[in-house]
Amino acid sequence: MSKLPDNYNPIHHDCEAKGCWNKQYRPNIEYFYHALPRKLTMSDIDGVAEVNGSFLFLEWKSHKGPLPVGQRILAERLTRLSTQITYVVIQHEPGNPMGIENVMVVHAGKFSEWQECSIIDLNDRIAAWAKKVDVQVVGGREAA
């Protein structure tokens, strides 16, 4: 187990001095509702990382139930595009997004069951994913 990460890339918004970030700076993606067919709506992505062409998408939820239908379809279809795409749904304590309790992994269009997971466990899982995909290729072979 690793320790909690340092605040390496903090959000530089001071809510107390500048007000609620969501109200003042978050774009209203619902504006584009009428641009999409069949009452489809945009989905926001809570976190994404790319390492050597492999992608890790993170989606935070305060409940352990099923994803909304649109997000479920998005996760399934997105991960079916390539085995280099992994989508992780993170269930946290309501009101405490870093109080992680469970995760569900979507890979190759398949959903895992919910698995118990703490923030430290999630950090370790992300580190293991990064180590696996951060392969250096030299002269057509993986470098040691």
Side-chain angles (χ1 to χ4, degrees):
M1 252 191 230
S2 63
K3 69 179 187 78
L4 287 175
D6 294 330
N7 201 7
Y8 178 74
N9 188 17
I11 294 174
H12 297 286
H13 181 80
D14 181 351
C15 293
E16 295 201 17
K18 298 179 182 177
C20 174
W21 186 89
N22 272 336
K23 289 180 181 176
Q24 294 187 11
Y25 297 96
R26 184 174 185 215
N28 181 5
I29 59 176
E30 290 81 13
Y31 178 88
F32 305 107
Y33 170 77
H34 296 290
L36 298 172
R38 300 181 315 278
K39 298 184 180 182
L40 296 172
T41 58
M42 297 265 179
S43 182
D44 68 331
I45 296 172
D46 296 327
V48 63
E50 181 276 333
V51 177
N52 284 346
S54 290
F55 297 84
L56 179 65
F57 289 85
L58 303 179
E59 178 64 38
W60 262 256
K61 295 294 180 195
S62 61
H63 60 83
K64 192 176 160 183
L67 285 176
V69 173
Q71 283 186 328
R72 185 169 184 84
I73 291 169
L74 171 70
E76 179 183 341
R77 291 180 180 170
L78 183 66
T79 61
R80 260 200 261 143
L81 290 173
S82 170
T83 56
Q84 292 179 275
I85 301 172
T86 303
Y87 192 102
V88 179
V89 183
I90 301 155
Q91 184 265 322
H92 63 87
E93 301 168 7
N96 181 10
M98 299 310 279
I100 294 169
E101 296 177 338
N102 298 283
V103 295
M104 176 174 39
V105 178
V106 189
H107 193 258
K110 306 260 189 266
F111 289 75
S112 75
E113 296 295 322
W114 285 105
Q115 305 160 13
E116 285 188 22
C117 186
S118 70
I119 187 149
I120 292 173
D121 297 335
L122 180 59
N123 186 71
D124 291 346
R125 285 175 177 231
I126 292 170
W129 170 84
K131 184 176 181 181
K132 177 182 170 187
V133 299
D134 192 22
V135 176
Q136 300 293 325
V137 178
V138 178
R141 296 186 346 211
E142 286 184 21

